[in-house]
Amino acid sequence: MNWDAWLPVLVVASSLLPGLVIFFLREGNHRMRTLLNLTGAVLKLVLVSSMIWGVFHEHVYESRWTLAPGLELVLHADTLSVLFVTLSTVLWLVTTIYAIGYLENAPHRSRFFGFFSLCVSATVGLALAGNLFTFVIFYELLTLATYPLVAHRGTSEAVRGARIYLAYTLGGGMLLLIGTVWLYVLAGPTAFVEGGILGTLPADYHPQLKMIFLLLIVGLGVKAALVPLHGWLPQAMVAPAPVSALLHAVAVVKAGAFGIVRVVYDVYGVNFADQLGLLTGLGIAAAITIVYGSVMALFQDNLKKRLAYSTVSQVSYIALGTAILGPIGTIGGVVHLVHQGIMKITLFFTAGNYAETLGIHKVSEMNGVGRRMPATTLAFSIAALGMIGVPPVAGFVSKWYLGLGAMEAGMAVWVMPVLIASSVLNAAYFLPVLYRAWFREPGTAWPAEHIPAARFETNAALLWPPVVTAMLALATGLFAAAPYSPLEWATLIAHREYGL
Amino acid sequence: MLTTQILYALAGCVLLALGVRGALLHASVLLRIVAINIMGAGVFLLLIAVAYRGPGLAADPVPHALVLTGIVVAVSATALALALARRLQVERDDG
Amino acid sequence: MADTPIWLVALPLAGALAALLLPRLATAAAIVTGLLTTVAAGVLLFGVATQGALHYEIGGWTAGLGIMLRADGLSTLLLLMTALVVLAASIYASTYFRKTYERARFWPLWLLLWTSLNALLLSGDLFNIYVTLELLGLSAVALASLGGKRAAVEAALRYLLVGLLGSMLFLAGVGLIYAGYGTLDLTVLARVLEPGPVAWPALALMSSGLLLKTALFPLHFWLPPAHASAPAPVSAVLSALVVKAAFYLVLRLWLDVFANVITPASANLLGLLGAGAVLWGSWQALRAERLKLLAAYSTVAQLGYLFLFFPLLLALPAGPDRDLAAGGLAMLALTHGFAKAGLFLAIGIIQQRCGHDTIRELDGTAQHLPATTFAIALAGVALVGLPPSGAFLGKWQLLAGAVDTGQWWWLVVTVAGSLLAAAYIFRVLGHAFGHRPYPNQPVTVAREEWPALLLSAMAALVLGLAGAPVWGLLEIST
């Protein structure tokens, strides 16, 4: 039994198999379901830790399976995969605990947790994909696994939101597929290799390669919520809070951004992409999205919608980092993948807490909630400050590297204003919320107090996840220079990409 | 004789064409069934013409086998079609 | 091992006779026959994979006067698919028909249908093809009319007349071939056929006949009413297998027998009609009010994809690229067979539980039949062509072939068709979500739901993940 070949498969299987079993569990069987969920999550964490250690020491973990002549499913663990896999695994564990608390007494829990596990399996498979073909397969599987989660509540808005989600993501998936097939016909199986493999193709392929890049980026950009492909994201807010948390922080949106990073670095190669002039276009799209998302967030009273537009804006930092030539810009973009995930999931957890405990869905209803739910609001505040870019929370580190990278690449002229404008806008739509929560007097009564104030402000399963992730956000910022921190790992990725 | 063979073959083609036209254009089910039988007759004539080997010589048995099979099939299929048409007519009269 | 081809014809025939003579034991006889025949199909596949193409001369008479059965890679794969689908549908049908007289009429015809399918796939000469085609048509029509209602009988009668028209045209073509070349054996004809005044009209006549039976747009008008009014297991087999058999014949004729005769223009014509089928069929499926009508129009569309391969196969030079495309075609055909059968069986369950299959009124039912809904979802994934279904691999080859030969319009048609398919499938699945609580048991009636689930899973998972041997098997030819 070759451990090196089995490890990637086991990492995917550790959530896939429990998920399949959960589908067949009786609805009332809470203990078994919780046990399966948590066992899978912890097992995955152990396997991923082993993978981190191995990849750091240049071990090769790879599994291959032939689906058709010339088309191989490849799971391969390199530095970038490990970054995303770790993020997914850690956040899945936390989200599972949160979801168990959130969905207490809700119907259809077996179906929910079944698809939840499938969703994480698809994300992890996507992260470990070793070539573009495998990536596309898991990308589509992710769409299929997340659709039932978005439609879960079963109301007509939920079904409608899910249909819009599907229309966008399947359309994007088709474009991605066309680009991949075209690339396959031109260049054979496109394995992900640090530094890219397309640079060696003859020059008369270049116009086609530019078209392919456009197709791939648009296809990926739907999930990554690049403007104007982001229309599904606010609609998908009808999903329960754990689903929104997962979708925004870990799974869908990150998958799109991760795909963009893969295509630029490991298929085209950042230097070749720059040579073709593709990075400028990507950078502009990212910049527009960053500003547009922040502006739209200003006008949203619904808390989840405000956070949704904030995601649209923040995830494009990753695309922006990809568009900045040079290792420092790369580090900024890649590390923001992790930092944004941790901060955004905190925000969604806290939004879910407000809704579940006090029936609060709108910013205007949040007056004085800091006194009633101090720990939750503290977590919210830490994450919000991180989004704005206040040190020492993690968000500051990413913005610093992006700014520095832009200056080194000579792109500071337009990148810096975008970064500054974005921070100002972030402050504009987060600080008033914090002010309301901490410094305003609460109204006569909360909209609907489902969970009364007891020893803790809300259920333990709802309270601890956001607190833990907020601590993580703080820690990844404070200890960014520590070994095995996301920043150190991103630096490793950048070095291997640029061959330093 | 050669001209008899061509005559049979042409007759077969004409019947085939008439049958196709009848099957496609007639509204009444019975007429369409008859038209298909005429088509069949046309094809059989064609095959019989193909089987002719020359004056005094025995004919080629393979096309004859085809014709026999075709006749059997046509009869069974016509029977089935008539049974279904009859059932439809009964239902129409009832309802 | 060498005798296996004849077992595949003799076993279902014997079963049909047993079911006819012993109506009380008909169901048991049918299931036993089904299991034995499926084993025989598996043995045949193993034999072909290890020894190459197999022949069997019935009664010891050699080709020329005798009937030769031939099994190569493609026909064996289709035979195994036929066996598995019919077996699963038989298990389903054993609970579907409640009354004894229904069962007494159903099983003999059902097994006769299977016999004719197997005989058609094993045929080695044009005459045998004609005979089995007629047998297939007659048993299919008889089964389709079993529904008893007026709509079913009308649709069955139309099916019969169209089928007869097609068969007569086919026979005329056969006569022409014999007149010109003096032989009806497929392998011999493949060598000697040349473009000329005999081959062209013969090909036209035979193709018209077969295209009527395959329901290629615009000759598809008979299919939706016939498949939608038939009983569920019959619809499953009609959509998944019977039209597939006619398509198999078109494939054999065009790519094997008349390979020297066909031109790119004629292949493009087929491709164009296929594109029409994809777009028109998908559009009509989207507008369908009833589930069975949706599934029937989906069949019209999915067959269109198969015809899109023709211009590509002709444009690609003989070699690995063409083999890849041919394998994609086979994979798409196989996946559709399993997926459509699973879909019809699942729809049958819904129809029996609520007495109707109107899509707009599905809300309650879709929720208290979770296993059935899951079967529909899996079948839907395979019909849209999403991974990990076999259809994804097939469509990949279709897209790759289109890009490779520079014929981009086929790619546009494929993508449009897939998106439309996603629209009509998810329109149905959207009704699976609602407020009713989840029942305690996910599978309610095992004998009915497991066949549907397994067939859909075969299409959506097994063929996609374990389908690589298909390409190797297709290389084995007579």
Side-chain angles (χ1 to χ4, degrees), chain B residues 2-29:
Chain B
L2 209 57
T3 43
T4 317
Q5 190 180 28
I6 295 183
L7 203 62
Y8 267 74
L10 277 174
C13 292
V14 168
L15 281 177
L16 182 62
L18 280 175
V20 172
R21 179 195 168 279
L24 292 175
L25 290 180
H26 280 301
S28 148
V29 169

Side-chain angles (χ1 to χ4, degrees), chain A residues 69-70 184, chain C residues 313 316-328 397 404 471 475:
Chain A
Y184 180 85
Chain C
L313 286 170
L316 287 167
D321 284 335
R322 189 194 279 197
D323 293 337
L324 279 176
Q397 301 299 349
D404 209 356
W471 276 264
E475 311 253 320

Side-chain angles (χ1 to χ4, degrees), chain B residues 24-90:
Chain B
L24 292 175
L25 290 180
H26 280 301
S28 148
V29 169
L30 192 57
L31 284 176
R32 278 193 291 196
I33 295 176
V34 170
I36 290 185
N37 273 289
I38 292 177
M39 258 186 88
V43 178
F44 302 150
L45 275 179
L46 202 59
L47 283 166
I48 291 173
V50 170
Y52 183 69
R53 283 215 188 111
L57 290 171
D60 190 345
V62 174
H64 282 190
L66 276 164
V67 171
L68 284 170
T69 315
I71 293 175
V72 170
V73 169
V75 169
S76 343
T78 307
L80 181 56
L82 288 171
L84 287 174
R86 180 83 184 113
R87 173 120 67 103
L88 269 182
Q89 192 183 43
V90 165

Side-chain angles (χ1 to χ4, degrees), chain A residues 41-90:
Chain A
V42 171
L43 184 61
K44 200 198 277 292
L45 201 56
V46 169
L47 291 170
V48 168
S49 313
S50 149
M51 194 180 265
I52 293 174
W53 187 91
V55 171
F56 190 75
H57 294 271
E58 312 234 3
H59 227 92
V60 174
Y61 297 111
E62 187 176 272
S63 336
R64 311 187 87 105
W65 177 257
T66 311
L67 290 185
L71 294 173
E72 278 188 314
L73 201 69
V74 178
L75 292 177
H76 179 98
D78 66 8
T79 44
L80 190 55
S81 337
V82 165
L83 186 82
F84 195 25
V85 169
T86 317
L87 178 72
S88 308
T89 309
V90 170

Side-chain angles (χ1 to χ4, degrees), chain C residues 287-311:
Chain C
R287 292 181 53 220
E289 297 286 325
R290 292 175 50 212
L291 276 174
K292 284 188 100 163
L293 219 52
L294 181 147
Y297 274 111
S298 169
T299 303
V300 172
Q302 295 282 323
L303 287 170
Y305 284 117
L306 299 178
F307 282 98
L308 287 179
F309 275 93
F310 278 84

Side-chain angles (χ1 to χ4, degrees), chain B residues 39 47 60 66 69 73 91, chain C residues 127 134 148 150 165 168 178:
Chain B
M39 258 186 88
L47 283 166
D60 190 345
L66 276 164
T69 315
V73 169
E91 287 208 30
Chain C
F127 184 31
E134 290 292 13
R150 193 202 162 76
L165 185 61
M168 286 302 166
Y178 191 77

